[in-house]
Amino acid sequence: SISPGFRYFSGHWAESQIITWLEKGWASGYSDGSFKPNNSVTRAEFMTLVNRAFGYTKTTEVSYSDVTPSDWYYVEVAKAKAAGYISGYEDGTIRPKNPISRQEAAAMLARILNLDSTANLQVLDNFTDKDSIPAWSKGAIAAVVAKGYMSGYPDGTYMPFKNITRAEAIVMLDNAISSVVDTI
């Protein structure tokens, strides 16, 4: 059953997906019993959501300078690396405690699903801030938007640098999981 503290997101635009994820054990709340759907997601938390949703359990050696075996996210990083959707930064870090941006989340999802990042670039024309989307993430954003896994905001922006919220991450991943399941 769901903690009474979760009632604080009643009426939230992502309520049904959040409830489903909580019931499946793919997402969890905070120690005070709340969920806080509009909070940012760290890179480690995003990896945890992905690993649970896609059923990644295989691990590999982790040698990032900012991840140690005593960290709660060590195994999640090891799973993400084994699954091949993270590689880390040039300085040897993975930055697990940093918030993950919408463009980074799109890039990880595009990698996970092996989406074509050279097609559908025209969908970016729908965003009023398309010129602010960096070259490195354009293909991934276009791929996940074209598939319907992510969308922009009511004001017509995509906001690539904005930290993805807990609700947005769950909805994006839920859309992807639903699509993958439907095609099998």
Side-chain angles (χ1 to χ4, degrees):
S1 71
I2 296 175
S3 162
F6 293 131
R7 70 183 178 279
Y8 297 118
F9 68 83
S10 179
H12 190 277
W13 64 269
E15 180 179 4
S16 65
Q17 291 99 328
I18 293 169
I19 289 171
T20 298
W21 277 54
L22 290 168
E23 288 173 344
K24 288 181 178 181
W26 292 352
S28 56
Y30 294 99
S31 57
D32 67 358
S34 65
F35 185 77
K36 302 177 184 169
N38 298 322
N39 277 17
S40 296
V41 175
T42 65
R43 292 170 55 81
E45 289 167 339
F46 188 77
M47 288 180 232
T48 302
L49 292 171
V50 166
N51 294 340
R52 289 176 180 167
F54 284 91
Y56 294 139
T57 56
K58 182 183 172 202
T59 60
T60 192
E61 185 180 340
V62 172
S63 57
Y64 301 113
S65 61
D66 56 352
V67 178
T68 64
S70 62
D71 294 323
W72 72 262
Y73 45 78
Y74 180 85
V75 171
E76 300 303 332
V77 172
K79 290 175 189 175
K81 186 176 178 194
Y85 68 88
I86 60 146
S87 56
Y89 294 95
E90 290 177 6
D91 65 0
T93 64
I94 196 70
R95 303 175 194 165
K97 296 178 184 175
N98 285 10
I100 186 167
S101 68
R102 288 170 48 82
Q103 67 180 342
E104 290 170 326
M108 283 190 198
L109 185 59
R111 245 179 262 134
I112 290 163
L113 298 176
N114 199 25
L115 300 178
D116 183 351
S117 62
T118 61
N120 302 308
L121 290 173
Q122 72 282 358
V123 302
L124 299 180
D125 292 336
N126 296 327
F127 301 118
T128 57
D129 61 346
K130 68 178 183 236
D131 294 335
S132 73
I133 299 173
W136 74 265
S137 65
K138 281 186 179 187
I141 291 170
V144 298
V145 168
K147 290 283 191 182
Y149 304 150
M150 284 184 95
S151 61
Y153 292 100
D155 67 358
T157 59
Y158 177 80
M159 296 190 194
F161 299 101
K162 181 180 182 286
N163 295 338
I164 198 166
T165 67
R166 289 165 58 85
E168 288 172 335
I170 286 173
V171 169
M172 174 186 87
L173 294 171
D174 194 65
N175 289 342
I177 291 289
S178 298
S179 173
V180 171
V181 169
D182 289 347
T183 59
I184 293 173

